[in-house]
């Protein structure tokens, strides 16, 4: 399989903490298999570790089962046998010494100078366990030639984020820490950067003079499943807004970086975060779906939000006065990942009453951040025939129309590959994380009340007052055109 990635990667030992967990089963092991199949893994070994006592063969059997469920049959047929030989396992019960010995064994199997072998530690574990694992890596002497990938949320407030950053930096340097946000690994998220900065058509109007408001909408149909303990300590804001929606907002709002390289892009994102005004209780609507408190592991009087909508202001020259509306939640009517840019309407209309101009709202540029990425530009055009009646029309583009959809990496695949290459472009910095907790700190200390909503709805009614006089773009009145349409 040809692929447009031409990086040279050093030999690696990938240490996968939480190797028997849900994320490893659904995304990480199938993703590593796909990278192997695509020829994008360097010479490496994958060392799984968790609390279970398993042999190497037991772990390979487990990996075979999950890859059969979540990887394509073609990839399994062509590449499973070769990939399975890379897999090893050590129980965390063996402690720091056992982990160090297992890594050394994996390194001895690689045909490479030991000093050239990199270690990638992926912490696919509950956030509360991160500190202990980082300590273990330090005790095991495994921070040398290493990078560490940490899952969200990175802290639960400003104080805990600062404490965790400080602890991790006792063992790893900042350029060795990769705080992962899988939303930024999606092809469509990268397309926002390409669309904005590669085209002279849109960048001149990407500002408060021409853009009326922005919506970032990530509703989910999923419940919390087996994540009740985690969700009770996090909620929708900590789980999704700080780590996902704010990061996408930065891609939409940032200035042009001086180069397409990690430090330049992160600096422009951090400028956006520095400009975000503190979030107040009046900027936020929290909701909780009916039946949440009956889920096992949930406190009967829980005030944790499963839905959040908020209004943000970026107080700089480009965006002053333009509201950014963010919404996400569990058990909602549809699952989607939408960024919608609403342009200002003309100041005066020359069209006659009844022509339809303005009746369907402003022009929108819409990015669909789903795995099969799409974008749409809507505008008014004349309906064919006599008279002067206007309809809302659209131009649409989808990744599959390029013929290169086979080259698209799933988000975790791309980010694992980037981490092995030491590329921080799509990862979040300690400064950015701490600033986002800072702007949210007052609201988190004294959050607004939780509104109930029915599972399968779009959330509590109070969300409409938050966005007034505008309306939420989802649900769409008109569907995306299919490929065959």
């Amino acid at each position: 399989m040809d692929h447009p990635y031409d990086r040279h990667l050093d030999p690696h030992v990938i240490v996968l903490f939480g190797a028997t967990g849900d994320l490893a089963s659904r995304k990480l092991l199938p993703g590593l298999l796909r990278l192997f199949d695509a020829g994008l893994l360097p010479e490496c070994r994958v060392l799984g570790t968790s609390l279970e006592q398993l042999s190497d063969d037991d772990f390979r059997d487990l990996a075979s089962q999950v890859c059969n469920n979540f990887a394509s049959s073609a990839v399994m047929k062509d590449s499973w046998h070769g990939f399975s030989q890379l897999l090893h396992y050590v129980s965390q019960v063996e402690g720091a010494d056992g982990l160090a010995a297992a890594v050394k064994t994996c390194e001895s199997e690689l045909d490479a100078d030991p000093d050239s072998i990199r270690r990638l530690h992926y912490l696919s574990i509950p956030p509360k366990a991160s500190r202990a694992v980082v300590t273990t890596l330090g005790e095991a002497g495994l921070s040398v030639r290493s990078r560490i990938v940490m899952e969200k949320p990175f802290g639960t407030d400003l104080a805990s984020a600062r404490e965790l950053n400080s602890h991790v930096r006792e063992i790893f340097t900042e350029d060795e820490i990769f705080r992962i946000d899988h939303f930024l690994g999606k092809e469509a998220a990268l397309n926002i950067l390409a669309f904005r900065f590669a085209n002279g058509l849109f960048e001149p109007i990407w500002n408060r003079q021409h853009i009326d408001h922005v919506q970032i909408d990530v509703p989910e149909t999923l419940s919390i499943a087996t994540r009740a303990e985690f969700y009770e300590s996090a909620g929708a804001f900590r789980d999704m807004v700080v780590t996902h929606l704010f990061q996408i907002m930065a891609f939409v709002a940032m200035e042009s970086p001086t180069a397409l390289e990690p430090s330049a892009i992160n600096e422009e994102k951090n400028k956006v975060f520095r400009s975000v005004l503190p979030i107040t209780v009046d900027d936020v609507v929290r909701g909780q779906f009916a039946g949440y408190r009956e889920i096992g592991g949930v406190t009967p009087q829980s005030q944790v939000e499963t839905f959040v909508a908020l209004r943000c202001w970026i107080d700089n020259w480009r965006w002053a006065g333009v509201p950014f509306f963010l919404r996400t939640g569990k058990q909602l009517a549809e699952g989607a990942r939408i960024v919608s840019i609403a342009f200002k309407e003309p100041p005066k209309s020359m069209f006659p009453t009844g022509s339809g101009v303005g009746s369907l709202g402003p022009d929108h540029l819409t990015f669909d951040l789903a795995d099969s990425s799409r974008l749409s530009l809507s505008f008014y055009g004349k309906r064919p025939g006599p008279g002067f009646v206007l309809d809302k029309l659209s131009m649409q583009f989808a990744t599959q129309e390029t013929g290169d959809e086979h080259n698209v990496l799933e988000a975790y695949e791309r980010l694992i590959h980037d981490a092995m290459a030491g590329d921080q472009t799509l990862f979040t910095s300690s400064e950015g994380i701490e600033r986002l907790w800072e702007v949210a700190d007052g609201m988190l200390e004294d959050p607004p009340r939780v509104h109930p909503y029915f599972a399968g709805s779009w959330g509590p009614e109070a969300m409409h007052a938050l966005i007034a006089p505008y309306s939420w773009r989802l649900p769409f009145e008109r569907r995306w055109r299919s490929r065959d349409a």
Side-chain angles (χ1 to χ4, degrees):
M1 172 182 174
D2 295 329
H3 211 285
Y5 281 76
D6 56 0
R7 291 166 167 163
H8 168 75
L9 298 181
D10 294 324
H12 267 74
V13 173
I14 301 170
V15 185
L16 183 56
F17 291 87
T20 60
D22 182 63
L23 179 60
S25 297
R26 290 185 298 107
K27 296 293 185 181
L28 304 183
L29 288 167
L32 288 167
L33 172 60
R34 167 83 192 290
L35 290 173
F36 177 83
D37 179 72
L40 295 176
L41 275 187
E43 184 181 7
C44 72
R45 293 295 182 270
V46 178
L47 178 64
T49 182
S50 66
L51 294 175
E52 288 85 347
Q53 294 276 12
L54 302 175
S55 66
D56 286 354
D57 286 339
D58 291 336
F59 181 52
R60 288 168 184 153
D61 288 343
L62 175 65
S64 176
Q65 293 172 22
V66 300
C67 288
N68 268 317
N69 290 336
F70 297 105
S72 74
S73 57
V75 169
M76 284 295 293
K77 179 181 177 182
D78 293 342
S79 298
W80 170 252
H81 177 73
F83 177 71
S84 68
Q85 304 309 301
L86 309 181
L87 302 181
H88 295 272
Y89 186 85
V90 61
S91 173
Q92 285 181 243
V93 175
E94 302 295 326
D97 291 342
L99 179 63
V103 170
K104 293 290 186 185
T105 298
C106 288
E107 291 177 342
S108 70
E109 295 183 5
L110 298 176
D111 184 19
D113 179 350
D115 291 335
S116 72
I117 298 172
R118 283 275 182 182
R119 299 155 180 167
L120 183 70
H121 305 297
Y122 197 117
L123 274 57
S124 175
I125 55 176
K128 66 180 183 181
S130 297
R131 183 186 175 99
V133 169
V134 170
T135 299
T136 297
L137 289 171
E139 292 173 348
L142 293 176
S143 62
V144 180
R145 306 187 313 278
S146 290
R147 300 182 178 109
I148 184 170
V149 181
M150 304 188 70
E151 281 285 340
K152 54 89 175 175
F154 199 87
T156 57
D157 55 20
L158 178 59
S160 62
R162 283 176 172 168
E163 192 278 332
L164 183 55
N165 273 326
S166 176
H167 179 68
V168 177
R169 285 197 295 258
E170 291 175 4
I171 312 297
F172 298 91
T173 61
E174 180 65 24
D175 64 349
E176 294 171 337
I177 305 168
F178 289 72
R179 302 166 186 84
I180 195 167
D181 174 12
H182 70 269
F183 270 45
L184 297 189
K186 292 182 178 296
E187 196 75 23
L190 296 173
N191 216 22
I192 295 175
L193 295 184
F195 191 90
R196 284 197 57 194
F197 300 125
N199 298 294
L201 177 62
F202 287 97
E203 183 57 23
I205 61 172
W206 207 265
N207 54 53
R208 61 187 178 86
Q209 279 80 28
H210 301 282
I211 290 177
D212 190 61
H213 65 280
V214 178
Q215 293 184 35
I216 302 174
D217 213 350
V218 186
E220 297 181 292
T221 59
L222 302 173
S223 182
I224 61 168
T226 59
R227 302 173 70 219
E229 182 181 0
F230 163 76
Y231 215 78
E232 277 289 281
S233 65
F237 187 89
R238 291 178 173 91
D239 183 38
M240 291 291 292
V241 175
V242 174
T243 49
H244 292 329
L245 275 63
F246 278 157
Q247 302 297 328
I248 294 296
M249 184 178 75
F251 269 20
V252 173
M254 65 190 279
E255 299 296 325
S256 174
T258 56
L260 191 64
E261 57 91 22
S263 61
I265 290 176
N266 271 320
E267 173 57 19
E268 295 306 331
K269 286 169 55 184
N270 287 339
K271 287 180 183 177
V272 173
F273 299 147
R274 291 175 210 142
S275 300
V276 176
L277 294 178
I279 298 167
T280 70
V281 293
D282 294 331
D283 295 320
V284 179
V285 171
R286 299 165 70 235
Q288 186 185 93
F289 66 78
Y292 172 76
R293 296 174 185 175
E294 281 72 58
I295 296 174
V298 172
T299 305
Q301 292 80 35
S302 175
Q303 294 297 308
V304 168
E305 78 281 356
T306 61
F307 169 97
V308 63
L310 63 149
R311 177 178 51 224
C312 296
W313 304 94
I314 299 174
D315 192 27
N316 61 21
W317 278 31
R318 183 182 289 264
W319 296 111
V322 178
F324 285 71
F325 297 101
L326 283 58
R327 178 175 65 162
T328 187
K330 300 290 188 183
Q331 292 268 270
L332 298 180
E334 293 179 18
R337 296 159 184 165
I338 298 295
V339 177
S340 188
I341 315 294
F343 291 97
K344 290 186 175 180
E345 298 189 65
K348 184 173 177 61
S349 175
M350 67 180 187
F351 297 99
T353 302
S355 65
V357 67
S359 61
L360 295 174
D363 300 337
H364 281 90
L365 176 64
T366 303
F367 295 88
D368 184 346
L369 304 187
D371 291 333
S372 179
S373 61
R374 299 173 291 190
L375 65 86
S376 172
L377 178 63
S378 69
F379 51 90
Y380 285 99
K382 182 184 178 301
R383 182 186 301 173
F388 218 107
V389 178
L390 302 179
D391 283 331
K392 209 58 177 292
L393 310 175
S394 67
M395 293 187 294
Q396 297 186 8
F397 161 81
T399 299
Q400 63 261 31
E401 295 172 3
T402 67
D404 290 327
E405 63 269 25
H406 63 282
N407 284 329
V408 174
L409 291 179
E410 194 273 344
Y412 279 101
E413 296 163 5
R414 175 188 298 276
L415 293 170
I416 290 171
H417 192 268
D418 284 354
M420 286 191 291
D423 185 344
Q424 291 266 9
T425 302
L426 300 177
F427 295 83
T428 56
S429 69
S430 61
E431 179 187 341
I433 287 289
E434 290 182 13
R435 172 57 185 166
L436 291 174
W437 285 124
E438 184 180 8
V439 300
D441 216 35
M443 186 276 295
L444 291 174
E445 288 183 2
D446 185 23
R449 72 183 183 91
V450 171
H451 299 267
Y453 67 95
F454 290 108
S457 71
W458 282 99
E461 287 298 312
M463 68 179 180
H464 298 297
L466 177 74
I467 201 172
Y470 313 113
S471 300
W472 293 103
R473 283 275 282 157
L474 287 177
F476 287 135
E477 293 184 5
R478 295 178 302 148
R479 292 293 168 187
W480 292 87
R481 289 195 294 270
S482 67
R483 185 176 185 179
D484 299 327

